[in-house]
Amino acid sequence: MSQPTAVLFCCDYNAVRSPMAEGMMKKYYGKRIYVQSAGVKNELDVDGFSVAVAAEIGVTIEKHRVRSFHQMEEWGDRIDAYELIIALSPSAMRQAQEYTRYHAIDVEYWPTFDPTGLGESREAKLAAYRQTRDMIDKRIRDRFGPPDEEEPEGGE
């Protein structure tokens, strides 16, 4: 598969799955691939459990600003500037396909488990979010290859 230079991840609310995917992509390939994320809706804040499980693998997303496709366009971000949209939910896939009616954008559908509302205890909730994080991580590495060389921690 060809390697795009601009990727947009999307899910339902841009609060759980797509921010994790955006953060991982930026960490792994951020010097050569421009990455953003969006949701079909934007009614939530970035999810605290997503922030926690992303941090466990060195991905920082707590400052992520939730946004919808519509908001991105209002703010001047051209969806047709992305070469690839990766949809992580059925509603995001439908939204992404709408753009292909007018623009030459590749769309991939990665059905991704939604961990929200699962688990009774904090640990059970974290386990569900870790499962989603690891699923996204594997799909990213399978699609885009080994991560680019990262700077060693501690300035070594």
Side-chain angles (χ1 to χ4, degrees), residues 59-138:
V59 173
T60 305
I61 63 171
E62 68 263 3
K63 293 180 182 174
H64 174 75
R65 184 173 178 187
V66 173
R67 58 197 165 256
S68 67
F69 283 99
H70 180 70
Q71 282 179 313
M72 287 182 75
E73 291 176 301
E74 281 182 345
W75 299 338
D77 201 350
R78 292 184 31 233
I79 304 301
D80 65 330
Y82 294 92
E83 295 168 66
L84 175 63
I85 299 176
I86 299 174
L88 305 174
S89 70
S91 64
M93 180 61 177
R94 285 189 295 278
Q95 182 72 47
Q97 287 175 321
E98 282 297 308
Y99 288 102
T100 66
R101 293 172 58 192
Y102 307 102
H103 306 291
I105 303 171
D106 290 330
V107 175
E108 294 179 13
Y109 179 44
W110 297 0
T112 305
F113 174 71
D114 181 0
T116 59
L118 297 177
E120 296 295 318
S121 68
R122 176 174 171 73
E123 269 313 307
K125 289 180 185 300
L126 285 169
Y129 278 76
R130 287 180 187 119
Q131 182 181 358
T132 297
R133 176 202 64 201
D134 295 346
M135 179 187 297
I136 293 168
D137 187 271
K138 181 176 182 346

Side-chain angles (χ1 to χ4, degrees), residues 9-20:
F9 283 96
C10 57
C11 65
D12 296 340
Y13 293 96
N14 192 225
V16 178
R17 294 168 283 184
S18 56
M20 282 197 281

Side-chain angles (χ1 to χ4, degrees), residues 23 31-32 41 56 107 109 112 135 141 148:
K31 291 188 172 138
R32 63 181 167 95
K41 302 172 187 170
E56 291 174 351
V107 175
Y109 179 44
T112 305
M135 179 187 297
R141 290 170 187 265
D148 295 344

